[in-house]
Amino acid sequence: MKLRDKVVLITGASEGIGRALAIELAEEKSKLVLLARNEERLSELTSELKSYTDVTYQKCDVRNPDNVKDSIEKAIKTFGRIDVAVLNAGIGYRMKVIDFDYERTKKIYDTNLYGALFFFEYLIPIFKEQKSGMIVGVSSMADVRGFPGSAAYCSSKSALTTFLESSRVELSRYNIKVITVRPGFVDTNMIKNNKFKMRFVLDVKNAANKILRGIEREKKLIQFPFIYVLLTSLVKFLPVHIFDFLSAKHD
Ligand SMILES: NC(=O)c1ccc[n+]([C@@H]2O[C@H](COP(=O)([O-])OP(=O)(O)OC[C@H]3O[C@@H](n4cnc5c(N)ncnc54)[C@H](OP(=O)(O)O)[C@@H]3O)[C@@H](O)[C@H]2O)c1
C-alpha cells in the first residue's frame, strides 16, 4: 500500500514509537490524525509536521470509549475517511504478583487491550462502508510467555496478539487488513526503568521505519529485530521446567 495521501490515525502519538511513526509518515505525505492524552506534546508535534502534510491532533484517552468514538468521528469530519489505524498506545511497568494490585493491573489491560479493542468497535462499521481499511496493532514479543515481573503486561499483549490474529482471518473477506506488530526492545521511555540488562535495543527511528516498510508491504506480521524473533520462537517451545529455571534467574 502506498501511504502517500492516505489518512493514518495513530494512538500514542505523543511519544516514543507513535511519535517517530508520525514523523516518518509525514515525510511520506500521509494525512495524519494524532491521538494521545498529552495535548501539549501533540500540539508541538502537529506544528512541526504541518509543513510536510495535513495533520490534526485530538486529546484521547484510549481507555475511555467515548473519547475513542469522538476522536474517530472528528477524524472522519476532517478527512472524510480513515485508511489506516495504528493502535500503538500502551503502558508497561514491572509488577510482582506477590504485590498484586488490581487497579494497576486493570490500567495495563484497559490501555493495552481494551484501548485497542474500542477502536475495533467504531472503526469496523466505517471500514465496512468504505470497503477497505487497515488496522495495525502494536503488540510485543513479550506476548510469547509469562515472564516474571511482567504478568500483567505479557498477558495483555498475548491477548492482543491473539485477538489480532482472529481478526486478520475474519476481516480479510471484507477487505479489512489486520497487521500485528511485535517489537523487541525499542529505546523509549517505556523501557527506561527496566532493571534487567537489555540487549539489541533498537533506536526509535529505526523501529518506526521497520513498521512503516512493513505496512507498505502489507505484511501480516511485522516483528523485529530478527535475533529476538529467533529467541522468542525458541522460548515459546521451551518445556515448562526449563522455562521456569531460566526465567527465575531474572526474577
Ligand atoms: N519500547 C519498547 O521496548 C516496546 C517493545 C515492545 C512493544 N512496545 C509497544 O509499543 C507501543 C508504544 O510504546 P513506546 O515504547 O513508544 O512507549 P512510550 O514512549 O511510553 O509511549 C507510549 C505512548 O502511549 C500513549 N498512551 C499511554 N496511555 C495512553 C492512554 N490511556 N490513552 C492514550 N494514549 C496513551 C502515551 O501518550 P500520553 O501519555 O500522552 O497519553 C505515549 O504517546 C506500546 O504499545 C508498547 O507496549 C514497546
Side-chain angles (χ1 to χ4, degrees), residues 147-214:
F147 295 104
S150 301
Y153 183 74
C154 291
S155 55
S156 72
K157 291 297 187 182
S158 59
L160 179 63
T161 299
T162 307
F163 190 95
L164 291 168
E165 178 142 69
S166 299
S167 310
R168 184 181 72 232
V169 180
E170 275 186 43
L171 297 176
S172 67
R173 75 190 65 155
Y174 301 96
N175 198 30
I176 302 172
K177 292 171 177 130
V178 178
I179 293 179
T180 306
V181 181
R182 297 180 68 239
F185 293 117
V186 182
D187 191 9
T188 67
N189 282 339
M190 181 174 280
I191 64 164
K192 288 224 159 34
N193 296 325
N194 283 352
K195 298 276 185 286
F196 53 89
K197 187 161 173 54
M198 291 172 285
R199 289 177 198 273
F200 310 108
V201 178
L202 253 68
D203 82 84
V204 72
K205 188 173 161 53
N206 192 357
N209 193 267
K210 285 185 188 302
I211 296 172
L212 195 77
R213 300 297 153 229

Side-chain angles (χ1 to χ4, degrees), residues 4 11 17 21 30-31 35-36 49 55 60 79 85-87 118 130-132 143 170 179 197-198 219:
R4 192 186 179 93
T11 72
I17 296 173
L21 256 178
S30 304
K31 297 175 178 170
L35 309 183
L49 300 183
V55 49
C60 171
F79 291 120
V86 184
L87 309 179
F118 291 145
Q130 291 180 174
K131 297 190 169 44
S132 72
D143 63 1
E170 275 186 43
I179 293 179
K197 187 161 173 54
M198 291 172 285
K219 288 180 80 174

Side-chain angles (χ1 to χ4, degrees), residues 48-65:
E48 223 176 276
L49 300 183
K50 275 237 154 91
S51 58
Y52 292 93
T53 189
D54 291 338
V55 49
T56 178
Y57 74 87
Q58 285 147 38
K59 184 177 169 157
C60 171
D61 186 332
V62 297
R63 294 169 299 172
N64 179 332

